[in-house]
Amino acid sequence: NLRLKWLVFAILCALPLFGSTSLWLHGVSTIPLAAYGIVSVLAFLLYWSDKRKARADQWRTPENVLHALEFAGGWPGALLAQQAFRHKTRKVSFQVVFWLIVLMHQVFWIDHLFLGAHLFALF
């Protein structure tokens, strides 16, 4: 269901978008907002490239590179690419790591926006 997928995507992006926009508007930093945008585009393009390489039986992008981009803020672009190209959606081990990365981003913004950034201060 396309509507449901867009709704889930919007909900997942709400906290990071609100949090990174808030940092920008308060003059703290534009880096999170820029990172989510730029790295998401890079992740989307890398997924597209990897899907093409998979079809052509060429050298593939290592999964840890894809996960590194997701962790750096590119998970929204990666999620869109997974759905658009139906790429990396069936490999359970890949999806587990992907969704853990998304969860870490959500927990970070919940902590930063609502809990006073206490959880990540411990590390």
Side-chain angles (χ1 to χ4, degrees):
N1 186 338
L2 189 57
R3 279 185 169 171
L4 180 61
K5 287 182 179 184
W6 278 113
L7 178 62
V8 169
F9 182 74
I11 290 169
L12 288 173
C13 289
L15 280 172
L17 182 60
F18 179 74
S20 56
T21 302
S22 176
L23 289 176
W24 169 56
L25 292 175
H26 287 100
V28 176
S29 178
T30 59
I31 292 173
L33 189 59
Y36 277 111
I38 294 167
V39 181
S40 284
V41 170
L42 290 173
F44 187 90
L45 294 173
L46 197 57
Y47 269 78
W48 171 74
S49 173
D50 191 49
K51 179 67 174 191
R52 287 182 48 146
K53 290 175 182 178
R55 287 184 177 163
D57 202 29
Q58 296 177 340
W59 177 84
R60 303 280 304 280
T61 304
E63 288 183 355
N64 61 349
V65 172
L66 296 173
H67 288 316
L69 280 175
E70 296 157 5
F71 186 74
W75 66 264
L79 182 57
L80 288 175
Q82 286 177 21
Q83 297 305 306
F85 309 127
R86 292 194 301 229
H87 190 50
K88 298 290 187 182
T89 57
R90 293 185 181 201
K91 188 170 183 184
V92 175
S93 60
F94 186 88
Q95 285 295 303
V96 166
V97 174
F98 173 78
W99 286 107
L100 283 173
I101 290 169
V102 174
L103 179 64
M104 286 190 316
H105 278 264
Q106 299 301 313
V107 169
F108 172 82
W109 287 112
I110 289 168
D111 179 43
H112 184 78
L113 293 169
F114 305 112
L115 303 176
H118 294 298
L119 290 177
F120 287 89
L122 299 174
F123 298 105

